[in-house]
Amino acid sequence: MEFIESINWAILAPIVIIQLILMAVAIIDLVKIEKANGPKWVWALVIIFINLLGPIIYFIFGRRS
Amino acid sequence: MNQWMTLFKKEMLEMSRNFKWIWVPLTFIMIAVKEPLTLYYMPQIIDSLGGLPEGAVIELPVPSAGEALAASLSQFNTFGVLIIVLITMGTIAGERKSGVAGLILVKPVSYAWFVTAKWASSMILIWFSYFLSYFLSWYYVGVLFKFISFTDFLQSFFVNGIWLTLIITVVILFNTFMKSPGAVGFISIGIIVILSLLSSSLPHLLEWSPALLSAYANAFIMGSNFPDELLPSIIVSVFMITLSLLASIAIFKRRELA
């Protein structure tokens, strides 16, 4: 896996951290919110498994009451 | 003015309760910073995806620093615009639907202040995210490729920002006379797409079009100078921004009283 080794992780780390923060904030909000726009477990799957876009989709479409 | 500050503070509070202050800047940063990174790692990405016959050699020209930054700038005009429309399409229409607007407007609140407070709060959120993400992208380009002069960065930032401001204002304008947030978003995106398509396909006829501001900023950051048409198109944009803002106040007044 020389590809993995050739990457400078100091450069990439902020992106990974941002992604994790977005995911964490979305999950915390999903747990706290009274009612999401649709079943909560589906939103949890969307947030966790759709890379990059999942939390954004949740914040735009999931929070409508 | 006191009343305006109250309305403005209410908008700010709502934005922080919606986590907009967290996720909008972070999203902007991701879409902007992603571009220089993928350009920089393009050879490795192609290598690792494989599928190339043994011994195939692809010579990729190394992109210049300007090209990498211009790539981020064009991300703001596709994905960024989409996010701007999606988060502002409900500001007034959604409140009217849920009845919050009615609750506020029973009190003797100036309609102009109601609309401008909403406009100002969206502006601050978007400009903050836009600056932060564009600045980080500039920094990344500097680290990975070559530092572009900061004044060039600021100039392209403001020129493109005027176009984004116009988009926010147009979305607010449609907010004032449509009830459903979905319709507002759909029509705003339609108008923006038509405007940019027309301007980019007929640039010699529509030199003053505000939609060309992003193209001018793009060309500028790639190394060429701003064309002479820059100033007229900025003036046209500022004129359109004020006009749509005034129109949205007027329309909102009439719709609410009727």
Side-chain angles (χ1 to χ4, degrees):
Chain A
M1 294 305 273
E2 55 186 313
F3 172 59
I4 302 280
E5 283 154 24
S6 72
I7 289 179
N8 184 349
W9 286 102
I11 291 174
L12 227 55
I15 301 270
V16 178
I17 293 171
I18 287 175
Q19 163 77 19
L20 287 179
I21 295 175
L22 271 180
M23 205 188 264
V25 173
I27 288 289
I28 292 170
D29 183 52
L30 183 68
V31 171
K32 278 168 102 180
I33 203 170
E34 207 171 302
K35 225 176 179 181
N37 191 2
K40 275 194 178 188
W41 61 273
V42 177
W43 280 117
L45 292 183
V46 167
I47 291 167
I48 294 170
F49 287 108
I50 301 183
N51 216 354
L52 300 174
L53 285 176
I56 303 169
I57 296 174
Y58 165 71
F59 278 120
I60 293 175
F61 298 107
R63 302 188 85 257
R64 290 266 156 68
S65 45
Chain B
M1 216 51 211
N2 218 340
Q3 206 182 42
W4 190 86
M5 278 314 287
T6 318
L7 284 170
F8 182 70
K9 271 184 200 147
K10 176 233 159 211
E11 289 304 318
M12 288 304 200
L13 183 68
E14 192 183 346
M15 276 182 187
S16 56
R17 293 241 172 99
N18 283 339
F19 296 101
K20 272 188 186 162
W21 275 110
I22 300 176
W23 73 263
V24 179
L26 288 182
T27 313
F28 266 75
I29 290 171
M30 267 206 306
I31 61 174
V33 167
K34 188 183 103 244
E35 280 307 307
L37 277 178
T38 39
L39 277 178
Y40 184 74
Y41 282 116
M42 195 49 91
Q44 283 98 317
I45 292 172
I46 291 178
D47 267 354
S48 76
L49 287 177
L52 290 177
E54 203 63 32
V57 178
I58 301 180
E59 281 293 329
L60 286 173
V62 179
S64 70
E67 276 169 28
L69 197 56
S72 314
L73 205 55
S74 59
Q75 283 292 308
F76 290 123
N77 294 315
T78 48
F79 210 59
V81 166
L82 187 68
I83 291 176
I84 291 176
V85 172
L86 284 174
I87 58 174
T88 40
M89 70 184 186
T91 44
I92 298 176
E95 285 206 347
R96 207 187 253 162
K97 217 175 178 182
S98 63
V100 178
L103 277 179
I104 294 170
L105 291 167
V106 201
K107 303 187 178 84
V109 171
S110 151
Y111 291 96
W113 283 349
F114 184 78
V115 175
T116 45
K118 291 217 173 270
W119 181 76
S121 56
S122 314
M123 283 282 287
I124 287 180
L125 175 70
I126 305 271
W127 274 81
F128 171 75
S129 322
Y130 171 50
F131 178 76
L132 199 67
S133 52
Y134 195 37
F135 177 77
L136 280 176
S137 173
W138 171 81
Y139 177 75
Y140 261 76
V141 168
V143 170
L144 295 173
F145 299 92
K146 195 163 105 328
F147 273 100
I148 291 174
S149 87
F150 196 69
T151 45
D152 284 6
F153 157 78
L154 276 183
Q155 277 173 307
S156 63
F157 168 76
F158 281 114
V159 169
N160 199 50
I162 294 172
W163 166 236
L164 297 184
T165 306
L166 181 65
I167 291 170
I168 302 171
T169 321
V170 166
V171 180
I172 297 273
L173 172 68
F174 284 112
N175 253 304
T176 53
F177 60 88
M178 269 179 240
K179 278 238 163 73
S180 127
V184 173
F186 186 75
I187 293 185
S188 319
I189 287 194
I191 284 183
I192 291 161
V193 167
I194 290 171
L195 200 59
S196 352
L197 273 183
L198 270 182
S199 314
S200 54
S201 51
L202 305 165
H204 48 287
L205 291 178
L206 298 162
E207 284 161 343
W208 295 2
S209 160
L212 281 178
L213 283 178
S214 53
Y216 293 155
N218 237 317
F220 174 72
I221 209 74
M222 295 229 258
S224 54
N225 282 327
F226 278 127
D228 293 338
E229 290 83 27
L230 178 74
L231 194 64
S233 46
I234 289 181
I235 293 172
V236 169
S237 322
V238 172
F239 183 69
M240 279 172 80
I241 290 168
T242 18
L243 202 70
S244 353
L245 208 55
L246 290 177
S248 44
I249 294 170
I251 294 171
F252 190 61
K253 230 177 232 168
R254 283 240 318 270
R255 292 265 323 188
E256 282 302 312
L257 291 175

